[in-house]
Amino acid sequence: TLLRTRKASTHRTVRQSETQDSASAKKMIEIMVNDRLGRKVRVKCNPDDTIGDLKKVIAAQTGTRPEKIRLQKWYTIYKDHLTLEDYEIHDGMSLEMYYN
């Protein structure tokens, strides 16, 4: 019986993690990026993507190298290694893009 309960509890935790992964995979957000020079880019990404990943997607759409892109909101400059969830960036938000 101990083996059965262990298998059942392991199976339950695996199923819970699968449903959480599929829920986060389905929930993509759209972010508007404005370079304040007339170019606006709409990007779809996951909330658990990093700012570096977001820069790579923006670079692919704009033709700019990701190292040359700086994303910020007001005076907060976003760091590449943190996720969109860390900065509480949600669906429909606008960010400012500057070129370094």
Side-chain angles (χ1 to χ4, degrees):
T1 53
L2 180 62
L3 184 59
R4 285 185 194 160
T5 56
R6 219 179 248 173
K7 281 186 179 179
S9 65
T10 309
H11 183 66
R12 189 176 305 121
T13 56
V14 169
R15 292 190 90 195
Q16 287 173 349
S17 66
E18 285 176 358
T19 56
Q20 289 172 354
D21 290 341
S22 64
S24 65
K26 292 179 185 175
K27 184 184 172 189
M28 293 192 76
I29 61 174
E30 186 176 51
I31 299 169
M32 277 74 74
V33 181
N34 187 359
D35 71 350
R36 305 181 62 108
L37 297 172
R39 178 181 287 175
K40 289 183 181 179
V41 180
R42 296 177 120 183
V43 179
K44 285 195 178 269
C45 54
N46 291 319
D48 58 348
D49 288 345
T50 63
I51 296 293
D53 295 337
L54 179 62
K55 284 183 181 181
K56 289 176 187 174
V57 174
I58 294 169
Q61 287 190 6
T62 60
T64 309
R65 292 187 302 172
E67 306 88 38
K68 294 291 183 182
I69 294 174
R70 183 178 79 224
L71 295 175
Q72 68 183 59
K73 181 78 170 183
W74 289 88
Y75 294 106
T76 304
I77 298 174
Y78 296 127
K79 306 291 181 189
D80 286 350
H81 63 280
L82 295 175
T83 64
L84 301 175
E85 288 175 328
D86 295 337
Y87 284 116
E88 297 180 2
I89 297 174
H90 303 293
D91 189 30
M93 284 188 67
S94 295
L95 302 178
E96 301 164 5
M97 177 174 62
Y98 295 97
Y99 304 107
N100 290 334

